[in-house]
Amino acid sequence: MDDVTERARALYDKYRFGDIRLGAEKVRSRREDRHLLKFLAMIPAGAHLCDIGCGAGYWMDVYHEYGVHKENITALDLSSGNVDALRQRGYSAFCGNAMDLPFADDIADCAICQGVLHHTQAPERAFEELVRITRSGGLMYISVYNQWHPYFYVVHKATFPFRYLYWNWNKTLPTIALYPFFSAAIQSITYLTKGSFMDRKSCMALFMDQVMTPRAHLFSRSRIRKYAERHGCEVLEFGYTRWFDMLSAIIQVGKA
Ligand SMILES: C[S@@+](CC[C@H](N)C(=O)[O-])C[C@H]1O[C@@H](n2cnc3c(N)ncnc32)[C@H](O)[C@@H]1O
C-alpha cells in the first residue's frame, strides 16, 4: 500500500468521520446535500448501491428513506473501525482501498463516493474502479473538494508546512500550533450559521479530515468531465453543496 493510503488509514482509524455534531444535534444536514438527494431519487427500486469510502455510515439512514434497503447496500472504507461498526449494524461492509476495490465488475447499479476521491493517492484510478464495478447504464455520484472555493486554499494548501511536520516529524506539536486557529474559525462560522458550537470531537475530526489529511486534491468541473470522457461515462449534472465548498456530479456509466 502506498504512503498516502497508509497514512489515510491511520488517520481515519483514529478520527472516524461521520456525524458532525452540535451537542446532540447533527450539523451535517440532509437539506444541504440537495444534489445527493436528487441522485437518490433517481435510483430505481431494488437497485444495488455501493458506498465507497462510506466513513462511519452517516448516509445509511438517508439511503433507507429513499427506498434502498440494507440488503441492497455494499459499503467499503479504508478504516476497519468504520467497517466493524457498520457490520455490527447489519451492513455488508468491507475494508479496502478505493483504488483497488475487492469487488467484481458490474456488481453495482449505482455507486456513491462522497468526500473520498480527493483524499486518494490517485483519484483517477479510484474513479476508474467506480466505473468498473458499476454496470453499464448505471449511475455514479461523486462529491469532491471544489478547487474554486477559497476555503480549501486556506485550510489545506496554506497549511502544508504543518502537515509536512505532522507526517514526517511529530504529530502533537503541529496540531497544538494549528488546531486552536482552525477551531476558532470553524466554531465561529458554525455559531453564526447554526446558532451553536460543534462538539470538540467533531471539530477535531473535521480538522484531521480537511487539514492534516495526507492528500487533498482540488477539483474543477473540467477535471471531472475529463475523467468521465476517458472512462466512457457521461456527466449528467453537476451540483454544489450549500456553501459551494463541495462539487458533485451525477454520472452515467456507459461501457462498450
Ligand atoms: C470525509 S470522509 C467521508 C465519509 C463518508 N463518505 C461521508 O460522507 O460521511 C472520507 C472517508 O474516505 C475514506 N478513505 C480515504 N481514502 C480512502 C481510500 N483510498 N479507499 C477507501 N476509503 C478511503 C476514509 O477512511 C474516510 O472514512
Side-chain angles (χ1 to χ4, degrees), residues 179-207:
Y179 180 68
F181 296 100
F182 176 87
S183 170
I186 288 294
Q187 293 289 25
S188 309
I189 293 169
T190 309
Y191 191 82
L192 287 173
T193 55
K194 307 276 182 182
S196 177
F197 294 114
M198 198 182 293
D199 75 33
R200 287 174 62 187
K201 199 172 157 203
S202 299
C203 193
M204 182 56 91
L206 207 58
F207 174 73

Side-chain angles (χ1 to χ4, degrees), residues 12 17 28 53-55 59 77-78 82 96-98 114-116 120 209:
Y12 289 106
F17 193 95
R28 293 175 86 190
C54 56
W59 295 104
D77 201 83
L78 203 50
N82 284 334
N97 183 352
Q114 272 237 80
V116 183
T120 61
D209 175 64

